[in-house]
Structure formats: C-alpha cells, structure tokens
Amino acid sequence: MAVGWAADKRAADLTKLPPAATAKVDYLRDIEPLFKSRCMACHGATKALGGLRLHLPAQILEGGDGGIVLTPGKSAESRLVHYIAGALEGKVMPPAGPRLTAQEVGLVRAWIDQGAELPKREGAAASPASIHWAFQPICKPAVPRVKQAAWVRNPIDAFILARLEAKGLKPAQLADPITQLRRVSLDLTGLPPAPEEVDTFLKDPSPDAFERAVDRLLTSPHYGERWGRQWLDLARYADSNGYSIDGARQMWLYRDWVIQALNADLPFDRFTIEQLAGDLLPNPSREQLIATGFHRNTLVNEEGGTDAEQFRIEAVGDRVDTTGAVWMGLTVGCAKCHTHKYDPLTQREYYQLFAFFNSQDEPNLSFPSPEQSRRLAELKRQLSEAQKALAEYDRLHTIAKGESRKDDPARKLLADRVAALQKDDREFARSVNTAMVLRERPEPRPTHLMIRGDFLRKGPLVRPNVPAVLPPLPPSGTDGHPTRLDLARWLVSEKNPLTPRVTVNRVWMQYFGQGLVETENDFGVQGSLPTHPELLDYLAATFAGVPGSRFPVSGSAVPITGNKQQGTGNREQGTPWSLKGLHRLIVTSATYRQSSKHRPELKAVDPRNLLLAKQNRLRLDAELIRDTALAASGLLSRKIGGPSVFPPHPPGTEALTQVKRVWTPSKGEDRYRRGLYTWHWRSNPFPLFVTFDAPNGNVTCTRRLRSNTPNQALMLANDEMFVEMAQSLGARALREGPSDDAGRIAWMFRRCVGRQPEPGEAARLGQFLRSQFAAFQAEPTEAEKAAPRDRPAGVDAPTGASWSALARVLLNLDEFITRE
C-alpha cells in the first residue's frame, strides 16, 4: 500500500461518510454516469491525474500512482469514498464543480460493498483513446502522382516532389558524380573513396553505375563500423564504469557484435530481441548472450559507502529510459516521479516497464577466443600432468618420521612446477576475453511504484506491462508474467506503430541532418509533427514489412542478391526489417543525390530546407574526421574489431579527472585504428572527439549536435596525430605522386577531397608551397622538426617540411571535414 494512502487512511474522518444505499446497485446504470459527469474530466481517456483512469473498468481496480482507490467489499476503507465524501480535510473530489450528494456517495459505497462488480463488455481493456498521430496504426499510403515524373527514381522522390510542386518549387540538380560517390562512401562506410575507386566509377558507362557502387559499399565490412558507431551512441557505449572512480571495463565484445550484426544485415527485429533479451531465447548462443551487453552499458558506482540498491535502481531506471528513447521515441523517464505531464503515460505504467528490467543478474562471462581456448587447454593439460607426477612421486616415496617433504630436492622441483603452472593458469584466465551480460533471475523481484521516484518510499506492487495507449502485450506463458523477451517482441510486433517510425526517422536524420520528425527523441505530444507524414509511414511500413510492402529496386539496377554475412538488403520478396534495404532505398533516391549548393530562391519559402529541395551539407562526426585523415595519409589500419586502443593523446589531458589516467599510446597498427576503436573513458573522453561533439556515454544519445568553434580548427592544425598524418601525406606525395609540383598538388588534393583542384585553388596551393619552402630553407632546425621522418631518400628537410605544411592545409579544409 502506498505510503501516502496509509497516511490518508489514518487521517480520514469516517463520521463524514454517508450510509451506503440498501438497494442492489448496477455499475452501468448507477455508477458509470456519476464517474462520467463528475470524475472523468481529470481521470478519463485524455487526462489521468495521479495516474488514475475511471473510464476503463479494468483500470478502476488497478488504481493510480498512489495505489488502489477502492477495496471491494470495504467501502469505509476505500480512498475513493473518502475523497468524494470529504472525509479527508482539503482533499474533496471533484475539486471544482458540483460535488456528489450524500445519496450519490451512498450508491458508490453500496456498489463497493456489494463487490465492485464491473461489466465484462467488449473493449473493456482497450487502450485509452489518443488522437496523437504517432500512436496510430501504420497504414502504407499510396505513392503520389507528380508532374515531373522523370525526376523520380523511387517512391521517396514522389513524396518529396509532391510537396515541392505544391509549393511551386523544383528539386535541385543531381550533384556531380564525384560528389555523389564521396557522399555515399562517407555515409555508408565512414571512409572517403580512394582515387582509384573514383576513376572506376567515372569510367562505368552503365545506367546503374551509382546503384552498383552502393551495393559494393553495403557489402564492405566498414559499413558495420560506420553504422555501428551510430548504434553505440544509442547504447551509451564506453570502456569505463563512470562516476568519479570510472574504473575500466571490458565491453568491446559487445561493440564487435554490433558491427558483425550490421554487416550481416541481421533483421532489425532480431537485432532488437537479442540485445534486449538474448539470454531468454532457447539455448542462447555465445553471440546472443554478448548482445545483452546493450543494457550492461549502464554506469557502475565503485565508491565505498554507497548504497548498492540505490545504484542498482538507477541502472534499471536508465534501462527503462533508454529503451523508451531508442525504440519508442518517448520521454518515458518523465513519468518516473509523477504521471507524464503531456503524454498518455502514467507513473504506474512507468514502473510496469521498470518491472521488465528489475529481475536480472549482471554477470561477467568469459568468452575466450579460439587461440585463448587452445592456450587454456594446453595449460590445463600441463598442470594435470604435473599434478599427477607429483602425486605419483608422493605415493612412491614415503616420508620417514621427523622428515619434511621440503627437504626432498626432487619433490621440490615437481612442486615448483605445479605452482608455476597454477600461477600461469590463473594469470592467463584473467586475460581471457570477458563480456558484461544480463541473465534473468530464477525468481523475479517484486516491483513497487516508487512514490515521487524515491526508492525508499515503496508504493503499490506492479506487474510488467506496456503503456495502455499502445497495443497490448500478447498473452505470455503459463503464469501470465511477461518477461523482457515479451517486451522485446512487442516492440517489433506488427501492431506497434512506434518502433518502425522511430527507427526509419533516425536513419533518415543521418542522411539529411534532420529527421522527418525533427524531435527524433520525442514522438510524444510535445514533439514536432512530421514534415512528410505520408513518406514517414511509407518508409515505416516498408521497413517493418506491412503486408504488400517491399523495398523496390532503384532505376534499372539489377536485383540485389547479397548473402547471409554481407547482404546488401535484398527485399524483393518483402523480407522485413532490413536496415541495408532501408539504406539502399534512401541513398539511391534522387532526393539524396541532389546537389547541396545554396539556392537563394529557397530562403523565403523554405529557409531551413525542410522540404528538401536540395541536399544538406553536414560536417563529419568526430571519429570520421580522424578516420578520413588516416585514410588520406595512408596510415589507416583497416583491421576490424578487437580490444580498444590508445592513439596519441594531447599531453596533460589525462590528469583532468579525479583519478589520473595513464594513457600510453598504442604501438604498430593499433596507433592508426579507426576512431570507433579508441578507448573511451566516460570521465575523460578522447579530446579530439569531445571537441567535435561526440557524446560522453553516460546516457543514450539519439542525435549528435554539430558545433563550430575555434578549438576545432586549432585541434586539426596542431594535434600530434594530425601533424603526424600531415607528414605522412606529404611523404606519400613525394614518394608516390608525380615528379612535378603541380602533379603532386593534384595527387594530394584528390586524396583529401576526391576531386581535382580548380585552377585558382592549384595556383594558391603552389604559391603556399613555395613560400613554405623558402621559410624552411631559412630555418633549417625548424625544417628538420617539421619534415617527415619517412621522406624518400634524397629529399632534403625543407622540401619534406614544405609538403607536410601543404598537407596540413588540405587536412584543415572545410571541404575535407564536410560531407557535401
């Protein structure tokens, strides 16, 4: 029973209760009209103060946020009666308007005393009505007809063009081929196309050359890295525990699972189910257990003197909030302390979601690699043999009275061998790969509503369930106790309207800088309306496999075949939930392939380009800026997966936290791994990434903001890693480029931005190169510092330094860090 209600019960003045009616009371005839006229303005379908709804018979008995409001057979103990009778000082209901007469209160008392019988009519447990667009079922709209039909390459374009034509606008011209290829390469793999790839693309005469390039990129293992980084933002991934101590953790197996799942085009419904409830699947595999690391990315407080239960509750709350944001696009956390102020989500319903995540253990399981398994097996074999040899020696050599085994040199050798192997076994076991996973407890914990969100103030017991405004959970198991697996399946069920809308909107946002729903994290009443609602539902229906939906092949492209490991998203047969199919549909549209050049005529009609009469220029994400520079310099390691690494770190920044971090730069190719693999301390993230707006991993991040600050330019110009990359690029130009300056400049320019320099650009770069050479000739010491160590034989320091300086200019271009 709620704490607040217990106090109310003690304070009630029972002498103010009118007597109960003596006649038989009928709910439909006598009680429902009273509730409708006096109560449902505040406790009905559109408003539920205190989480109490009286328009649904099933919810009347459940009560509200403060617990039950009536006890069948005991009207004198029922809070509802105390309120309507004025038995509680200052708590008379309704608070305004005509109050119930003594006779009407007597009817309510009699109904409760007679058992509070409720009708079992059809729809009694139906969801409360909501006209909000996001909660409505998804129906696939018809593709509109347009005047400029020749521009349309797939259905996306028809929806976009219909809006443009209604405003008297025309779409932009397609971007030039090099821009299109660089754009889609960065968007699908996070890496720029090499000049050789650009040349191959430009020489391809087929009408589906772009579609063929898209298919190649979708099968690249780097696709999983690019889109895995986006998912890890949602998963609040990090390599440390958070809070002030922020100790290290091992989470990279989960990160690698995400990359592999995306590369294999694991259907999004399975992608969801395995992360939320992989441990509850029949005979879960190693990968399905690792997938549950999604909800082990919560913070862990290692400080002494803390209340472990408090921080367990904090972690469970974070799992509820993250699930609501990632799959439902709702601010469910707003209902933690009270019923949501805007959305039809009660505090009770928040804790019903909480109950799904309240009964898990949090083990760290060992998952040795094949090589580690072989090494462990060999250590076990050697230890077993050594122990047998020692036991056999003891059996054959009896100890005389008064003697000690320590005095036996032969036995000491055998015992030392056993001890050394035991030590090796323990130490190696500590180095074996581990993963933080979730496992369901044999018996669920009881879940209480928490009064005002305080875990010490327990309200009424609640059972796992989903918000009433959404489709109900299907029947579950023999005990009727739903699990996380039921929740996960419900999120991706064909009746749930939120997950497909939220997911396709978030993907769209990555390609255009803004979602069709601008508030990508809030599909609730306070969120933005869709700019193109029919297009949003078309994409959602197609993605989720609404009957009759499928991903069409763009233009004259050949059917996509793909395979289990590196599929490109073939959805000709209507297979649902393909992320690669969704990506392909978007990037092969004419809408996506438009030029991003400024159009002055749009300023008055559509200043924010919401109608998409052109593409949007987008600065690259933090990790991709570094990845692109590594690729241009020739230093990039293309190794996929493995433990996190430590690229060079600006000196002094490791001491910016309560616990000093020793950051020892990695050696060899690990120094040049993609940013996705950089070790991420929550309390002290990698400085370059912070400068370019990467999240800290404390909470889910559904969208990265893009800032423009002087620190960004300073970082690109002076960071140790960027200086090294510029030196490498300069040395490459001298080693691999043409023999003349103009040819080398063009060679470097193409590796940085994909295209040839304009004559004016080439002239300015040549002038800069000559001025730098003269300056370095005058300062030989500075030239030696700035020149690359790996410059070709015969190239002097001023020459090497001047080409490195030119490379620094190219790596600092706005065009270099921008996806046009």
Side-chain angles (χ1 to χ4, degrees):
M1 181 171 289
V3 174
W5 169 223
D8 284 350
K9 186 177 179 181
R10 290 192 297 270
D13 183 356
L14 300 186
T15 63
K16 293 184 178 181
L17 299 184
T22 56
K24 177 67 176 175
V25 176
D26 179 78
Y27 174 81
L28 293 177
R29 182 191 66 214
D30 303 313
I31 304 303
E32 188 176 56
L34 290 177
F35 286 170
K36 282 183 177 180
S37 63
R38 310 292 178 81
C39 306
M40 290 187 191
C42 295
H43 302 285
T46 58
K47 185 186 291 188
L49 294 183
L52 176 63
R53 298 184 188 275
L54 297 177
H55 74 297
L56 293 176
Q59 290 197 348
I60 294 174
L61 296 179
E62 290 182 3
D65 299 344
I68 60 173
V69 294
L70 62 87
T71 303
K74 299 179 180 180
S75 68
E77 297 181 13
S78 296
R79 180 163 45 152
L80 175 64
V81 173
H82 294 180
Y83 282 168
I84 63 177
L88 287 163
E89 186 176 353
K91 294 185 179 180
V92 181
M93 297 294 170
R99 294 175 180 165
L100 278 72
T101 66
Q103 183 180 6
E104 289 170 335
V105 173
L107 286 173
V108 175
R109 288 200 63 184
W111 169 66
I112 295 174
D113 288 338
Q114 293 167 14
E117 294 182 5
L118 290 163
K120 296 181 180 179
R121 57 190 175 190
E122 185 177 353
S127 301
S130 174
I131 61 172
H132 184 58
W133 67 270
F135 303 137
Q136 307 311 309
I138 296 174
C139 298
K140 188 173 184 180
V143 179
R145 296 183 179 275
V146 293
K147 298 174 184 176
Q148 197 179 332
W151 184 76
V152 174
R153 291 175 177 265
N154 69 35
I156 288 175
D157 302 326
F159 287 101
I160 296 296
L161 187 56
R163 289 289 309 279
L164 292 176
E165 290 180 344
K167 291 286 187 179
L169 298 173
K170 292 183 178 181
Q173 297 294 320
L174 295 185
D176 65 86
I178 294 177
T179 297
Q180 287 190 51
L181 183 64
R182 186 172 189 268
R183 177 189 297 167
V184 78
S185 297
L186 290 169
D187 280 347
L188 288 181
T189 68
L191 296 173
E196 299 75 21
E197 293 172 322
V198 174
D199 292 339
T200 299
F201 176 65
L202 294 177
K203 292 175 183 176
D204 189 342
S206 59
D208 63 337
F210 184 78
E211 283 81 359
R212 288 153 60 94
V214 168
D215 292 343
R216 174 180 58 81
L217 293 167
L218 284 171
T219 59
S220 166
H222 300 304
Y223 160 84
E225 293 178 314
R226 168 71 176 92
W227 286 91
R229 179 61 268 176
Q230 304 303 321
W231 187 259
L232 294 178
D233 281 3
L234 299 172
R236 66 271 196 239
Y237 174 86
D239 296 294
S240 65
N241 289 329
Y243 294 109
S244 57
I245 293 179
D246 198 27
R249 62 168 56 171
Q250 193 173 105
M251 283 299 300
W252 63 268
L253 283 176
Y254 168 74
R255 178 244 291 148
D256 286 2
W257 178 88
V258 171
I259 296 171
Q260 294 159 8
L262 293 175
N263 275 334
D265 199 21
L266 185 70
F268 188 76
D269 55 347
R270 284 182 54 197
F271 187 69
T272 294
I273 290 168
E274 293 186 12
Q275 289 184 87
L276 292 182
D279 58 305
L280 294 175
L281 294 170
N283 301 313
S285 66
R286 172 185 185 272
E287 289 72 22
Q288 288 167 338
L289 290 174
I290 291 172
T292 64
F294 177 88
H295 270 324
R296 286 301 310 277
N297 282 304
T298 48
L299 278 62
V300 174
N301 195 333
E302 304 163 271
E303 295 182 22
T306 58
D307 187 328
E309 178 65 6
Q310 176 186 355
F311 288 97
R312 187 192 72 81
I313 292 294
E314 293 282 347
V316 174
D318 176 68
R319 288 164 189 157
V320 178
D321 299 351
T322 299
T323 301
V326 172
W327 280 276
M328 300 164 68
L330 296 177
T331 55
V332 297
C334 293
K336 185 179 300 181
C337 303
H338 50 72
T339 288
H340 203 292
K341 295 296 185 183
Y342 303 105
D343 295 336
L345 181 65
T346 69
Q347 189 186 19
R348 172 183 286 271
E349 289 172 330
Y350 177 86
Y351 286 100
Q352 288 173 338
L353 289 172
F354 190 98
F356 285 109
F357 298 100
N358 197 30
S359 296
Q360 289 85 52
D361 290 323
E362 301 181 351
N364 292 3
L365 302 184
S366 294
F367 293 103
S369 67
E371 180 181 348
Q372 288 175 331
S373 295
R374 288 190 292 270
R375 175 63 176 151
L376 282 170
E378 177 62 18
L379 281 172
K380 297 292 185 187
R381 184 190 66 78
Q382 293 178 10
L383 178 59
S384 177
E385 290 179 354
Q387 289 172 330
K388 288 179 181 178
L390 180 60
E392 181 66 11
Y393 186 90
D394 288 344
R395 187 181 68 82
L396 296 174
H397 297 79
T398 334
I399 301 177
K401 187 175 180 180
E403 292 183 357
S404 169
R405 292 192 183 277
K406 295 180 181 179
D407 300 328
D408 187 338
R411 187 186 186 284
K412 185 175 185 304
L413 286 174
L414 290 173
D416 288 348
R417 170 68 172 163
V418 170
L421 286 170
Q422 288 175 331
K423 180 181 178 182
D424 289 348
D425 184 60
R426 289 193 302 269
E427 291 181 351
F428 189 79
R430 285 195 290 269
S431 72
V432 168
N433 302 335
T434 62
M436 301 170 68
V437 304
L438 287 181
R439 298 301 297 261
E440 196 74 5
R441 295 165 63 91
E443 292 294 330
R445 290 186 178 96
T447 299
H448 293 264
L449 183 148
M450 298 176 194
I451 306 299
R452 293 295 176 186
D454 183 351
F455 80 105
L456 295 176
R457 299 177 62 196
K458 294 183 179 180
L461 281 167
V462 297
R463 293 173 61 81
N465 207 343
V466 297
V469 75
L470 294 168
L473 278 172
S476 171
T478 55
D479 61 354
H481 191 88
T483 66
R484 275 180 295 121
L485 183 57
D486 297 307
L487 175 67
R489 287 170 171 163
W490 172 81
L491 285 169
V492 290
S493 68
E494 62 180 17
K495 293 183 179 180
N496 192 324
L498 285 176
T499 297
R501 282 183 175 128
V502 168
T503 305
V504 301
N505 185 69
R506 194 174 290 128
V507 171
W508 184 273
M509 177 184 67
Q510 295 299 327
Y511 287 118
F512 296 96
Q514 181 171 292
L516 296 167
V517 178
E518 185 175 3
T519 53
E520 87 299 327
N521 63 339
D522 188 0
F523 274 52
V525 174
Q526 292 293 101
S528 302
L529 293 174
T531 57
H532 298 75
E534 294 82 9
L535 173 57
L536 178 65
D537 274 11
Y538 178 88
L539 292 173
T542 304
F543 179 57
V546 171
S549 304
R550 63 178 182 177
F551 289 116
V553 170
S554 175
S556 57
V558 295
I560 313 168
T561 54
N563 59 65
K564 183 177 180 181
Q565 294 302 316
Q566 297 290 337
T568 57
N570 179 20
R571 292 297 170 258
E572 284 297 277
Q573 304 304 317
T575 305
W577 299 110
S578 167
L579 281 168
K580 286 191 176 183
L582 176 63
H583 290 306
R584 191 180 196 280
L585 182 66
I586 293 174
V587 301
T588 56
S589 68
T591 304
Y592 172 81
R593 296 170 65 179
Q594 292 179 102
S595 170
S596 61
K597 292 181 179 179
H598 178 60
R599 295 180 61 186
E601 69 273 21
L602 298 179
K603 184 175 181 180
V605 182
D606 186 20
R608 297 181 60 206
N609 194 34
L610 298 179
L611 299 179
L612 293 175
K614 67 182 187 71
Q615 242 299 0
N616 291 313
R617 298 176 75 250
L618 302 173
R619 197 210 68 211
L620 298 178
D621 286 340
E623 297 87 347
L624 302 193
I625 292 173
R626 182 173 175 275
D627 295 347
T628 300
L630 284 169
S633 69
L635 293 173
L636 177 68
S637 165
R638 294 179 180 263
K639 176 183 175 183
I640 307 293
S644 296
V645 297
F646 300 83
H649 201 294
T653 54
E654 66 274 6
L656 296 178
T657 56
Q658 178 177 327
V659 179
K660 183 175 180 180
R661 305 297 178 197
V662 177
W663 186 280
T664 304
S666 299
K667 305 295 184 182
E669 72 169 328
D670 281 351
R671 182 181 178 94
Y672 309 111
R673 299 288 305 280
R674 294 193 66 171
L676 173 74
Y677 303 113
T678 297
W679 184 280
H680 179 62
W681 292 109
R682 282 188 162 105
S683 59
N684 190 16
F686 194 60
L688 173 71
F689 299 163
V690 175
T691 303
F692 283 95
D693 311 306
N696 60 19
N698 287 337
V699 295
T700 185
C701 174
T702 58
R703 174 176 56 178
R704 293 190 182 190
L705 302 178
R706 288 181 170 91
S707 65
N708 190 353
T709 70
N711 284 345
Q712 294 170 350
L714 292 170
M715 182 73 78
L716 293 178
N718 301 310
D719 182 86
E720 175 187 350
M721 194 71 199
F722 276 87
V723 171
E724 181 180 357
M725 289 186 281
Q727 290 177 335
S728 177
L729 178 58
R732 282 190 74 196
L734 291 166
R735 190 170 51 250
E736 303 173 26
S739 58
D740 62 301
D741 287 354
R744 283 180 182 150
I745 289 173
W747 186 94
M748 290 176 66
F749 200 89
R750 289 192 69 198
R751 272 153 182 77
C752 289
V753 298
R755 63 177 177 85
Q756 293 282 356
E758 299 287 342
E761 294 170 328
R764 292 181 66 185
L765 291 171
Q767 182 181 4
F768 175 81
L769 179 69
R770 290 187 292 274
S771 69
Q772 290 295 297
F773 178 75
F776 281 122
Q777 264 194 327
E779 297 285 347
T781 303
E782 293 302 315
E784 285 293 344
K785 291 180 182 178
R789 306 278 80 84
D790 60 342
R791 62 184 184 272
V795 175
D796 59 24
T799 300
S802 60
W803 281 99
S804 295
L806 182 65
R808 290 176 76 181
V809 170
L810 296 179
L811 296 181
N812 275 268
L813 292 176
D814 179 69
E815 186 176 351
F816 178 75
I817 65 170
T818 302
R819 190 225 71 178
E820 297 283 346

